[in-house]
Amino acid sequence: MKKDYSALSFSEKERICENVFDSNGPYWHIYTDGTMMQNIFCSEEDFKTAMWILAASMHMFKGVRIITFELMTNHVHLILAGQREECIKAFDLFAARLRQAFPKRQRAIDWSKFKMDILPIEDIQALRNEIIYVNRNAFVANPAYTPDSYPWGGGCAYFNSWLRHLKTTNLGNLKVNSQRALLHTRDVAPFSQLIEVGGMPFIPSFCDIKLGESMFRDARSYFNSLTRNAEAFSQIASRLKDSIFLTDDELYSVICSHINKEYSVKAPSQLSAQQKIDTARQMHFGYNASNQQLRRMLRLDLSILEELFP
């Protein structure tokens, strides 16, 4: 009799995850630099267009699987499994199709700055951290979202039991003109097996959510990782040259832990002026804390912070 998965030990679950990791690589993080790019996706319609183009582009590369992704206003993140060259080609097709679709949106976009970088993901813990980092991206940038509610990324599909209750339709069952309008291409024949839900591509039809989920021991371990790994987020942000990767609440928790350890105080209000400045330096260089975050957390004058970190 097959053993109940929930009854397995920690080490048994971890071994299963490692076997899945070893059987499905190599893995890559492809991303673009939002600091170099103007805003691309400025409306819900823009995001929908990008979602369909991403779904169609990845559908053309059977050897490449998206594990998760996040479309942000001025940049994108893709966690992919597949050979490096194929992953790059898949992204290039995505970028080319975006360029073709967005002239119709009546905004001038300098696509020469929409350039990707690709980084290898070497082990299962690194892959877990990268998945979590991407699924948190919009949550960190916008307080209106959680990692589970942002509609333009894979995170909302992770460990979501409601997905099976959605009414979906094979794209090929829609009228040809409707398919063309969604995909922004006349040749819709290759995409008939993509799945539509409410005018959007159904994320599990082009993103291998099950593969991503299988990298975690269970839903609980995934959920715990979403807000409890500041050190790993710091390393990834440094690798990607990201500016902010912790919310105010998370940064405040890090600050309280730091000052309790260094100065034996529990709240930033108990710090001396010099201790506040030393803490600001630690948070700026160690956790990419912005000047505005440090102003709010430590109640330091913005002019002092701008002199410290111009």
Side-chain angles (χ1 to χ4, degrees):
M1 179 183 294
K2 186 176 181 180
K3 192 172 182 179
D4 179 12
Y5 184 81
S6 63
L8 297 178
S9 67
F10 180 97
S11 59
E12 288 172 323
K13 289 181 178 180
E14 190 69 8
R15 188 158 50 248
I16 291 171
C17 293
E18 290 172 353
N19 288 340
V20 174
F21 176 88
D22 292 340
S23 301
N24 289 278
Y27 304 92
W28 311 93
H29 188 159
I30 284 181
Y31 64 99
T32 63
D33 186 349
T35 65
M36 299 294 293
M37 189 69 190
Q38 70 194 90
N39 287 351
I40 313 166
F41 314 123
C42 300
S43 67
E44 182 173 322
E45 195 59 34
D46 289 346
F47 277 106
K48 282 185 178 180
T49 296
M51 289 279 283
W52 278 110
I53 291 172
L54 179 64
S57 301
M58 294 300 157
H59 189 71
M60 299 297 290
F61 288 84
K62 303 303 183 186
V64 175
R65 285 173 290 174
I66 307 185
I67 296 176
T68 196
F69 68 98
E70 202 96 323
L71 304 181
M72 300 293 286
T73 304
N74 58 8
H75 69 283
V76 303
H77 291 275
L78 306 174
I79 304 297
L80 304 177
Q83 294 304 312
R84 185 178 188 276
E85 296 75 14
E86 289 295 289
C87 291
I88 292 172
K89 288 178 182 177
F91 175 86
D92 288 345
L93 179 61
F94 168 58
R97 286 178 176 263
L98 279 180
R99 287 194 295 270
Q100 292 170 359
F102 271 71
K104 303 172 187 176
R105 314 204 73 75
Q106 301 179 345
R107 272 188 295 111
I109 297 175
D110 182 4
W111 289 102
S112 67
K113 296 180 180 179
F114 190 67
K115 296 179 179 178
M116 56 138 277
D117 284 296
I118 183 168
L119 295 172
I121 304 172
E122 305 288 0
D123 58 62
I124 189 168
Q125 190 55 53
L127 180 56
R128 288 168 176 162
N129 292 339
E130 300 274 352
I131 291 170
I132 294 292
Y133 187 89
V134 169
N135 288 352
R136 283 171 42 93
N137 210 242
F139 156 73
V140 172
N142 190 333
Y145 296 105
T146 73
D148 301 323
S149 68
Y150 189 66
W152 319 116
C156 62
Y158 268 64
F159 297 100
N160 186 342
S161 60
W162 283 97
L163 291 177
R164 66 178 181 270
H165 300 295
L166 296 177
K167 185 178 180 180
T168 61
T169 305
N170 273 31
L171 192 63
N173 293 338
L174 302 181
K175 293 180 179 179
V176 171
N177 285 344
S178 297
Q179 296 180 52
R180 288 172 175 169
L182 292 173
L183 293 168
H184 293 269
T185 182
R186 291 192 60 81
D187 182 14
V188 296
F191 311 110
S192 61
Q193 296 306 307
L194 284 175
I195 299 175
E196 178 266 351
V197 57
M200 292 266 292
F202 185 52
I203 290 172
S205 75
F206 69 93
C207 182
D208 198 338
I209 299 298
K210 291 300 182 186
L211 177 58
E213 290 176 344
S214 67
M215 299 300 166
F216 298 87
R217 291 181 296 278
D218 46 40
R220 181 185 294 165
S221 69
Y222 169 80
F223 182 80
N224 285 340
S225 299
L226 283 171
T227 56
R228 297 186 180 182
N229 211 349
E231 293 296 336
F233 301 152
S234 172
Q235 293 168 12
I236 296 170
S238 176
R239 213 163 70 121
L240 305 183
K241 300 180 176 62
D242 264 1
S243 55
I244 298 174
F245 57 89
L246 295 179
T247 65
D248 280 6
D249 289 337
E250 291 169 335
L251 181 63
Y252 187 78
S253 178
V254 171
I255 287 174
C256 288
S257 176
H258 171 75
I259 63 177
N260 185 45
K261 179 180 178 181
E262 292 295 319
Y263 308 115
S264 300
V265 300
K266 294 183 178 180
S269 59
Q270 297 174 283
L271 296 173
S272 69
Q274 185 59 51
Q275 288 171 341
K276 286 185 178 183
I277 289 174
D278 291 342
T279 299
R281 287 196 175 98
Q282 178 66 27
M283 295 303 112
H284 174 83
F285 293 112
Y287 296 92
N288 279 21
S290 70
N291 286 351
Q292 288 292 349
Q293 283 184 310
L294 293 172
R295 178 188 64 80
R296 292 192 293 269
M297 301 294 107
L298 297 171
R299 295 189 178 181
L300 281 167
D301 191 274
L302 187 59
S303 62
I304 294 175
L305 290 166
E306 288 176 343
E307 187 175 338
L308 288 171
F309 318 117

